Amino acid sequence: MKRTLATAAAMLVAAAAGTALATPAHADVLCMTVENAPFYASIDGYGGTSYLFTLSPGRGFRADGWGYNDVYGRNWIRGHGAEHPDRTGWVLHNHTNC
Protein backbone atom coordinates (compact mmCIF):
# COMPACT_ATOMS: atom_id res chain seq x y z
CA MET A 1 0.00 0.00 0.00
CA LYS A 2 2.81 2.39 0.90
CA ARG A 3 4.52 1.79 -2.43
CA THR A 4 1.28 2.36 -4.38
CA LEU A 5 0.68 5.71 -2.65
CA ALA A 6 4.28 6.76 -3.27
CA THR A 7 4.01 5.79 -6.93
CA ALA A 8 0.71 7.65 -7.32
CA ALA A 9 2.16 10.73 -5.63
CA ALA A 10 5.22 10.65 -7.89
CA MET A 11 2.99 10.39 -10.97
CA LEU A 12 0.95 13.41 -9.84
CA VAL A 13 4.09 15.47 -9.27
CA ALA A 14 5.44 14.50 -12.70
CA ALA A 15 2.11 15.37 -14.36
CA ALA A 16 1.98 18.74 -12.60
CA ALA A 17 5.56 19.52 -13.62
CA GLY A 18 4.77 18.68 -17.25
CA THR A 19 1.78 21.03 -17.18
CA ALA A 20 3.85 23.83 -15.68
CA LEU A 21 6.49 23.48 -18.39
CA ALA A 22 3.90 23.61 -21.17
CA THR A 23 2.39 26.88 -19.87
CA PRO A 24 3.98 30.01 -21.36
CA ALA A 25 5.72 32.34 -18.92
CA HIS A 26 3.86 35.34 -20.32
CA ALA A 27 1.34 36.17 -23.00
CA ASP A 28 2.32 37.35 -26.45
CA VAL A 29 1.92 41.06 -27.12
CA LEU A 30 0.40 42.31 -30.36
CA CYS A 31 2.15 45.45 -31.65
CA MET A 32 2.64 47.28 -34.93
CA THR A 33 5.75 48.06 -36.91
CA VAL A 34 6.23 51.85 -37.04
CA GLU A 35 8.93 51.87 -39.74
CA ASN A 36 10.80 49.38 -41.91
CA ALA A 37 11.95 46.68 -39.50
CA PRO A 38 14.86 44.48 -40.60
CA PHE A 39 14.08 40.96 -39.36
CA TYR A 40 16.86 38.61 -38.24
CA ALA A 41 16.90 34.88 -37.52
CA SER A 42 18.99 35.39 -34.38
CA ILE A 43 20.92 37.94 -32.37
CA ASP A 44 24.20 38.14 -30.53
CA GLY A 45 25.94 40.77 -28.43
CA TYR A 46 26.33 43.06 -31.45
CA GLY A 47 22.76 42.84 -32.78
CA GLY A 48 20.91 40.93 -35.45
CA THR A 49 22.53 38.06 -37.31
CA SER A 50 21.31 36.09 -40.32
CA TYR A 51 19.17 38.79 -41.97
CA LEU A 52 15.96 37.32 -43.39
CA PHE A 53 13.83 40.20 -44.74
CA THR A 54 12.38 43.59 -43.79
CA LEU A 55 8.91 43.94 -42.28
CA SER A 56 6.85 46.81 -43.71
CA PRO A 57 5.68 49.71 -41.52
CA GLY A 58 2.10 49.70 -40.27
CA ARG A 59 1.83 45.91 -40.06
CA GLY A 60 1.18 43.67 -37.09
CA PHE A 61 4.00 42.18 -35.03
CA ARG A 62 3.40 39.58 -32.30
CA ALA A 63 6.18 39.82 -29.72
CA ASP A 64 6.94 36.76 -27.60
CA GLY A 65 10.43 37.57 -26.30
CA TRP A 66 11.70 40.70 -24.60
CA GLY A 67 14.59 42.70 -23.40
CA TYR A 68 17.78 41.58 -25.04
CA ASN A 69 20.19 44.53 -25.14
CA ASP A 70 23.22 44.46 -27.42
CA VAL A 71 26.56 46.18 -26.70
CA TYR A 72 25.27 49.36 -28.38
CA GLY A 73 22.39 49.61 -25.89
CA ARG A 74 19.73 48.69 -28.46
CA ASN A 75 16.83 46.58 -27.24
CA TRP A 76 15.71 43.60 -29.37
CA ILE A 77 12.41 41.74 -29.25
CA ARG A 78 11.53 38.31 -30.61
CA GLY A 79 8.35 37.41 -32.45
CA HIS A 80 6.83 37.25 -35.92
CA GLY A 81 5.31 39.74 -38.33
CA ALA A 82 1.94 39.60 -40.05
CA GLU A 83 3.68 39.38 -43.43
CA HIS A 84 5.56 36.21 -42.43
CA PRO A 85 3.65 34.56 -39.58
CA ASP A 86 5.55 31.29 -40.04
CA ARG A 87 8.97 32.82 -39.21
CA THR A 88 10.06 33.73 -35.70
CA GLY A 89 12.93 36.16 -35.43
CA TRP A 90 14.21 39.40 -33.95
CA VAL A 91 13.63 43.11 -34.61
CA LEU A 92 14.78 46.27 -32.87
CA HIS A 93 12.26 47.36 -30.27
CA ASN A 94 12.23 50.95 -31.59
CA HIS A 95 10.95 49.72 -34.98
CA THR A 96 7.69 48.75 -33.24
CA ASN A 97 5.19 50.32 -30.85
CA CYS A 98 5.51 47.43 -28.38
Side-chain angles (χ1 to χ4, degrees):
M1 180 83 168
K2 229 181 205 182
R3 185 173 181 166
T4 304
L5 288 176
T7 302
M11 290 173 58
L12 285 173
V13 169
T19 302
L21 292 175
T23 305
H26 59 81
D28 293 353
V29 176
L30 184 58
C31 314
M32 299 290 284
T33 52
V34 295
E35 57 191 26
N36 285 331
F39 191 83
Y40 296 90
S42 59
I43 53 175
D44 64 16
Y46 296 97
T49 62
S50 301
Y51 171 82
L52 297 172
F53 43 79
T54 298
L55 299 173
S56 302
R59 300 294 305 265
F61 183 81
R62 185 172 301 276
D64 65 11
W66 293 94
Y68 182 85
N69 292 320
D70 62 22
V71 297
Y72 305 108
R74 300 175 301 180
N75 187 261
W76 293 82
I77 56 177
R78 187 184 71 185
H80 67 269
E83 296 168 284
H84 299 277
D86 58 332
R87 290 300 306 249
T88 298
W90 295 85
V91 298
L92 282 170
H93 181 255
N94 67 341
H95 291 303
T96 71
N97 67 358
C98 295

